[in-house]
Every structure is written in C-alpha cells, then in structure tokens.
Amino acid sequence: MFDALLLLSFGGPDKPEDVRPFLENVTRGRGVPPERLDEVVEHYLHFGGVSPINALNHAIIAAVQQQFASAGTELPVYFGNRNWHPMVEGTVARMSGDGVRRALVFPTSAWGGYSGCRQYDEDIARARAAVGEGAPELVKLRQYYDHPLMVDAVADAITAARATLAPAHRDSARLVFTAHSIPVSADVAAGPPDLGGRLYSRQVQEAAQLCAAAVGVDDFDVVWQSRSGPPQVPWLEPDIRDHLDALASAGTEAVIVCPVGFVSDHLEVVWDLDTEARERAAELGIGFARAATAGADHRFARMIVELVAEHTEGVAARRLGALAQLGCTVDGAPCAVGCCEPVRRPR
C-alpha cells in the first residue's frame, strides 16, 4: 500500500539572484574551477536567470495527475529537489505532516551510476534523516532508460527532427546521440561490482541502439556534452562540438542530434546543444536538427504511471534492454554493496 508519489529532481534557479547559490549547491566539493562557474552563471543569465527544469517538472506532474485521475488512482504527487527549492527535505517533511507513511519516488534520471542513481538514494536518505521519526518509507522506482514508451517517444522525436532538415539532407543526415559526460573514473565505478562497471555509458549506448533501431538506423554515434570538472580529470569523450568538427572533416552535410541522456529540455540541452552546438554546425556549414526530449511527450507520463503500477498493481516490468534491472531501492539503500560508489575528484 502506497500513499503518494514523490517526483525527485535536480532543481534549478527561478530568478537571476538564485543562479549563483544554486550552482554553488550543485558544485560543492567537486573542484569545479571558479572560471567555469562564472561561465555557467552567464549561461543561465542568457535565459533570464531561470532554468526551464522546474516548469518542465511541474508539467510532468500535471500530466501524471491527469493520468491518475483518468485511471481512478488516488495518489497525490509531491515535488522535491536536490539543489534548489522545493528542497526534498522540506517536501518529505510536508509528506510526513500530511500523513504519508509509504511513498514511491520517481527520479528524473533514467540511468545508473553515481550521479544518475545513487545520488538520488542519498537524497532520499538525507531527507528521511532530516525529518527523523515519522518519516515515510520511500521506495525509489527502477531505472527506465529502456522502457518501450520512453524509446517510442525518443524515436518519434528523431523522426520529427529529421523532417525539419532540408529534403536533400534528410536521408543522409548523421544520427548523433548525446548524454551528460561524467569523469571516466565515475563511469568505471558505475554499477554493482559484479557487473564490471561502466554501467552508465553501457546504458546510454544501449538506449541509443534501441532508439536508432526504432527509426531504422543501423549506424549512429554516441557522444557527450556538458562536462564541468577540472581539465586534468579525464571525462567521457568525444564532446559534441569536437565530434561536429570531425564529421565536417569527413564530409557530413547534416546531423540529427538526439539528447537521449536527458528527460527534459533543461539548461544543458538549450545551451550546449541549441546554442553552442547549433552555432558550431552553422560555422561548419552542416545542417543541424535537434530532437526533442521525452519528458514533454504524453507517453512519458504514461510510463511513470506504469512504473508506479509495477508496485501498486503487480504489473510486469516492460523493458527492451538486456542489461540488469536496477535502481529500485528502499529508504536510500544502494542497489548492492559497493554499487556506484562516489569517486573522489582531484581539486
């Protein structure tokens, strides 16, 4: 029996004066150079100092509530963030005050790894500790990068993006998938030790393969974006802009860029892809189309409802991938001993 659903997300600033404190929360202890922080502040100010992520999450919540209402499911939906208001600690306190004793948690990351999964476990444990006695039991939903509804939404977004290219380029356009880069050491440590690590990059590769197959593409690229760490630390490569340079040198005339690693069009998407990558493509004379993220698609809310039904109604999990099913844990416990241990980053 569950009393509520908590949508747990990353958070983002709502006004210009929020930007610096928000970014300091995000980067605390990570050794991010001050000049990189200054650069990202300017990215947010370019869009009025407001991140799209909160509005996008509210839209997802509204769509889920509508799905619940249509199905006759009486399950209130709460919203909490790791890095900005509403902070998850306050949300879980409110849930406790409302009498919630057992709730499901949907994290707005589809992936394994420390940042994609275990850090959400830590958020849950921290919020429960802050509330203390009377905190609800919190059951995190599983990873969903390979859910059929997710794959279908991304595939249709690729098809729609292709249609925006000049007709002469549509059939020959190179399909390029992107996801948020992480330190190589963090990727090596991603997943339970007995699965051999690199869970995050393997999941991204599998998701890309599933989405490419759904649109009839056999040959595609997986690249990375949005790195933020010190330059001496190796991160997953190639970066999308460097990859565009390589494609142009090889004679590619157009690209379809699909941010498969992101569920919503938040700042890393609208800046790193819609601004920087698009500008680089224009400089290189390459046609550029960017596929929408899945969060705004009606199937995304349907997927969340299906994930909930796995727990409330015993519905069988629908998956297209072959990697281990992970991510579902209780009260912030990791998936397994040693799973996705945080990696100390050099300063």
Side-chain angles (χ1 to χ4, degrees):
M1 180 70 178
F2 291 93
D3 306 315
L5 173 67
L6 166 63
L7 186 141
L8 177 57
S9 194
F10 189 81
D14 292 310
K15 53 186 182 298
E17 51 265 42
D18 294 344
V19 174
R20 191 79 188 197
F22 161 74
L23 290 175
E24 288 170 353
N25 283 347
V26 173
T27 60
R28 186 170 290 113
R30 290 177 51 187
V32 176
E35 58 272 17
R36 172 58 181 165
L37 205 59
D38 294 339
E39 182 182 329
V40 178
V41 167
E42 290 304 314
H43 296 172
Y44 277 95
L45 295 180
H46 180 82
F47 295 99
V50 178
S51 170
I53 193 171
N54 287 332
L56 293 167
N57 282 329
H58 282 297
I60 291 170
I61 289 169
V64 170
Q65 289 172 324
Q66 185 175 25
Q67 293 274 342
F68 281 160
S70 297
T73 301
E74 296 183 4
L75 206 64
V77 184
Y78 291 82
F79 178 33
N81 289 318
R82 176 186 306 155
N83 294 303
W84 204 247
H85 308 286
M87 303 295 283
V88 64
E89 294 90 340
T91 299
V92 173
R94 182 160 64 90
M95 292 167 68
S96 178
D98 290 345
V100 174
R101 293 294 171 259
R102 195 165 184 242
L104 292 164
V105 181
F106 174 79
T108 57
S109 167
W111 312 100
Y114 176 71
S115 297
C117 184
R118 182 156 178 178
Q119 200 166 11
Y120 287 91
D121 295 330
E122 293 176 355
D123 296 337
I124 289 168
R126 185 181 67 252
R128 294 189 75 254
V131 173
E133 186 176 353
E137 179 180 88
L138 298 176
V139 178
K140 182 157 68 72
L141 298 170
R142 66 175 175 87
Q143 295 157 17
Y144 50 88
Y145 71 93
D146 61 347
H147 194 287
L149 291 173
M150 181 86 161
V151 172
D152 287 349
V154 174
D156 283 353
I158 292 169
T159 299
R162 185 187 300 279
T164 68
L165 292 170
H169 291 155
R170 290 173 188 170
D171 291 340
S172 61
R174 186 71 179 174
L175 180 55
V176 179
F177 293 93
T178 72
H180 203 303
S181 185
I182 62 173
V184 171
S185 57
D187 190 45
V188 169
D194 61 345
L195 294 184
R198 298 192 180 274
L199 179 66
Y200 172 64
S201 61
R202 288 189 289 141
Q203 287 179 334
V204 171
Q205 183 69 35
E206 186 171 60
Q209 188 277 325
L210 292 169
C211 295
V215 295
V217 173
D218 297 323
D219 193 17
F220 59 89
D221 302 320
V222 174
V223 303
W224 308 93
Q225 63 172 90
S226 311
R227 71 158 289 161
S228 59
Q232 68 271 24
V233 177
W235 283 53
L236 295 176
E237 294 179 338
D239 179 79
I240 176 63
R241 288 174 294 171
D242 295 335
H243 190 62
L244 290 174
D245 292 344
L247 289 177
S249 298
T252 300
E253 296 181 346
V255 295
I256 302 167
V257 177
C258 175
V260 70
F262 299 84
V263 302
S264 296
D265 283 12
H266 47 82
L267 191 91
E268 283 109 336
V269 175
V270 298
W271 178 263
D272 295 346
L273 297 184
D274 293 348
T275 306
E276 291 189 335
R278 188 180 295 275
E279 289 174 357
R280 178 67 64 87
E283 293 167 1
L284 295 168
I286 297 176
F288 185 94
R290 201 269 287 177
T293 47
D297 189 285
H298 66 95
R299 285 165 290 197
F300 192 78
R302 283 173 50 203
M303 178 195 71
I304 296 173
V305 172
E306 275 198 24
L307 294 172
V308 168
E310 291 177 14
H311 293 264
T312 60
E313 301 174 26
V315 172
R318 292 205 295 150
R319 299 185 62 224
L320 297 174
L323 296 172
Q325 180 173 302
L326 299 167
C328 179
T329 63
V330 179
D331 289 345
C335 291
V337 175
C339 184
C340 301
E341 291 285 0
V343 176
R344 185 177 297 276
R345 300 174 181 179
R347 293 172 179 262

